[in-house]
Amino acid sequence: MSRTSESPPVGRPSGEAPPANGLSHGLKQRHLSMIALGGVIGAGLFVGSGAGIAAAGPSIVIAYALSGLLVMLVMRMLGELSAANPASGTFSVHAERAIGPWAGFASGWTFWFMLCVVVGLEGIGAAKIMTGWLPGTPEWAWVALFVVVFCAANLASVKNFGEFEFWFAALKIIAIVVFLGIGVLAITGLLPGTDSPGTGNLTGQGGFLPNGSEGLVLGVLASVFAYGGLETVTIAAAESEHPVQGVARAVRTAMWRIAIFYVGSMAVVVALVPWDDPKVIAQGPYVATLDHLGIPAAGQIMNAVILIALLSAMNANIYAASRMSCSLVGRGQGPKALGRTVGGVPRTAVVVSSGFGFVCVLLSYWRPDDVFMWLLNMIGALILVVWFFIAVSQLILRRRTEREAPERLVVRMWLYPGLTYAALAAMAAVFVLMAREPDTRVKLYWSGGLTLALALAGYIRQVRAARRAGEPAGEITAEDRAPEK
């Protein structure tokens, strides 16, 4: 059998970049570093964290620390896999090589669906900020404008995406660093015009665990989903000048910095603002904190930062969705049209991914109570499904790589296989917690239903491919299977 370009043999020299379905190599190390640092910083942190604070109170700091540990383990595993075999399909390629074509199909299209829906959600959030500044303008028109701009940017070249993300991420990181600096000064009483709050907000209003263990559980669930987005850096690495070194460096430097941003931000917010202040949800925790400190125009400045974060997330999600679909098609796992590249860019995939996101926005106006809610529920736990595939793939491929080409292990998972099993156990625990809570149980069921449907579709394709090839279905892997013509 001929080999797919997305899954090179394990023996390929580690410094050589595998071809990626005709994609260009236009990203530089500075792009990857900023994508790794800024790609995850979006609405989940700036806006969505308010719901977690309302549920967990001050213990949201513990919730973000626990979920942050899980994310660090997942990113270490994904870094190991991606440094050993850089590919634009990232974990989908690894799942296909480790488990089988059905797993690559299910994980890849699951991720694509999630990203496209989130493109719409980020667009809606950005449009709400714009209509707040310019009352009377239609939200859908702003979303359409944003989609067109970032679709065009992604159609031009991968370098455009890299430059957009570089500056977007830089602004987000600067904003968070400034916020943390102001917060530390206020907490210590060194900020002019403010007094140190002491521990009043941490121990008052019901204490550190005002809603008990149930509140902490809800906080953990909210924080887990806020970390989604880190996977984009391993997708982008396949289009960089030095994929192996790039992904290794980006993963190593990003994990602990992002943990500081998330956990540190939550600590500052709950130390300075009462956790039950309604403004934390209505305005968002960052805006509420700066307004509480009485900093002039701080709320509007932070709204501008949040707008940048939302637009950055839209840009990154369109990019990642287009590359994932292009990779799947290159391995015979989707419509051929999505795999066409022009000038190193999968233009059809970019347009389709952008358009699907905008359709989700239209559905939020046309069918807000049924179809749109159905879409929202279906993406509820999909990030955990992706992480599960990553962990299982790393568990299998690590043994194979150690046996066949140990020099490719540029990044190694800590304490393998113990921490990999611990991460899988933590994911299973989160699924159980979701099943216990009425608010998250529906999302778990819908997300699980979508995953099972895609897994079944992938397995049917795998069986049919095996019959055509005259081989047992379970023996076909991405390394010995040619893309379908």
Side-chain angles (χ1 to χ4, degrees):
M1 293 289 192
S2 61
R3 297 180 185 273
T4 174
S5 62
E6 284 291 355
S7 299
V10 175
R12 184 189 294 271
S14 61
E16 181 184 347
N21 289 338
L23 302 179
S24 65
H25 284 200
L27 294 177
K28 301 181 182 299
Q29 180 58 44
R30 67 183 180 89
H31 295 144
L32 286 184
S33 297
M34 279 301 182
I35 291 169
L37 288 172
V40 72
I41 302 173
L45 176 61
F46 283 117
V47 181
S49 55
I53 293 173
S59 67
I60 192 67
V61 177
I62 303 300
Y64 269 88
L66 291 174
S67 56
L69 287 174
L70 174 59
V71 172
M72 290 180 72
L73 295 179
V74 171
M75 281 307 298
R76 188 71 182 187
M77 288 184 275
L78 186 54
E80 176 184 295
L81 292 167
S82 299
N85 284 291
S88 63
T90 182
F91 55 83
S92 173
V93 173
H94 308 319
E96 187 165 340
R97 293 180 59 237
I99 307 169
W102 71 266
F105 180 93
S107 60
W109 287 115
T110 292
F111 191 66
W112 179 85
F113 176 86
M114 180 183 70
L115 289 179
C116 290
V117 175
V118 172
V119 165
L121 296 179
E122 304 282 5
I124 292 171
K128 288 185 182 300
I129 294 177
M130 294 303 300
T131 54
W133 290 339
L134 299 171
T137 55
E139 287 186 4
W140 67 266
W142 285 112
V143 178
L145 175 63
F146 297 146
V147 169
V148 169
V149 168
F150 292 117
C151 180
N154 277 276
L155 286 173
S157 71
V158 69
K159 186 178 179 181
N160 282 14
F161 162 75
E163 287 298 325
F164 264 111
E165 279 307 291
F166 178 84
W167 293 109
F168 277 158
L171 290 171
K172 289 188 289 186
I173 291 168
I174 291 171
I176 292 179
V177 170
V178 170
F179 176 82
L180 291 175
I182 293 173
V184 170
L185 291 176
I187 291 171
T188 57
L190 298 178
L191 186 70
T194 62
D195 296 323
S196 173
T199 60
N201 290 324
L202 300 176
T203 58
Q205 296 86 39
F208 191 74
L209 280 164
N211 296 320
S213 59
E214 291 297 316
L216 179 59
V217 166
L218 291 174
V220 169
L221 296 178
S223 61
V224 163
F225 304 125
Y227 280 106
L230 275 169
E231 305 81 11
T232 301
V233 68
T234 59
I235 296 176
E239 293 184 77
S240 65
E241 296 173 318
H242 304 288
V244 175
Q245 297 88 338
V247 73
R249 187 181 306 170
V251 169
R252 284 170 178 158
T253 59
M255 293 184 298
W256 64 271
R257 294 182 186 179
I258 289 173
I260 290 176
F261 288 158
Y262 271 73
V263 178
S265 294
M266 292 302 100
V268 166
V269 171
V270 296
L272 292 174
V273 182
W275 67 270
D276 55 355
D277 187 332
K279 292 182 180 179
V280 171
I281 290 183
Q283 298 179 337
Y286 286 78
V287 175
T289 300
L290 294 177
D291 279 347
H292 181 78
L293 294 176
I295 299 176
Q300 291 305 317
I301 293 172
M302 187 52 66
N303 273 332
V305 173
I306 294 171
L307 176 65
I308 291 172
L310 292 168
L311 296 180
S312 170
M314 285 186 70
N315 186 40
N317 288 336
I318 290 172
Y319 168 81
S322 65
R323 268 50 178 188
M324 178 59 75
S325 59
C326 181
S327 170
L328 287 161
V329 171
R331 291 177 277 132
Q333 300 274 32
K336 295 178 183 178
L338 292 178
R340 296 172 185 164
T341 59
V342 179
V345 176
R347 293 189 174 179
T348 304
V350 169
V351 172
V352 171
S353 300
S354 303
F356 189 92
F358 187 63
V359 168
C360 294
V361 173
L362 295 179
L363 289 173
S364 72
Y365 296 103
W366 295 339
R367 305 296 294 271
D369 299 324
D370 44 30
V371 179
F372 186 65
M373 288 305 300
W374 172 72
L375 290 173
L376 291 182
N377 286 331
M378 290 183 77
I379 68 170
L382 293 186
I383 191 63
L384 279 172
V385 172
V386 168
W387 292 353
F388 181 84
F389 277 112
I390 291 171
V392 173
S393 300
Q394 188 270 337
L395 201 61
I396 297 171
L397 293 180
R398 171 65 174 269
R399 290 193 292 266
R400 188 184 303 174
T401 307
E402 284 181 331
R403 182 177 63 252
E404 299 178 10
E407 71 278 2
R408 296 185 64 82
L409 291 172
V410 180
V411 178
R412 291 175 178 263
M413 177 60 181
W414 304 300
L415 299 177
Y416 170 85
L419 284 182
T420 301
Y421 283 117
L424 284 168
M427 294 175 209
V430 175
F431 281 127
V432 171
L433 293 174
M434 289 188 70
R436 287 181 52 201
E437 300 296 329
D439 292 340
T440 55
R441 187 180 302 139
V442 174
K443 295 180 179 181
L444 177 63
Y445 292 161
W446 280 105
S447 300
L450 175 64
T451 303
L452 289 175
L454 289 173
L456 179 60
Y459 185 73
I460 291 172
R461 292 176 60 88
Q462 178 176 323
V463 170
R464 289 176 177 173
R467 287 175 179 170
R468 287 195 297 268
E471 299 177 5
E475 294 182 7
I476 295 181
T477 67
E479 289 187 10
D480 59 13
R481 174 176 175 275
E484 297 176 0
K485 302 296 183 185

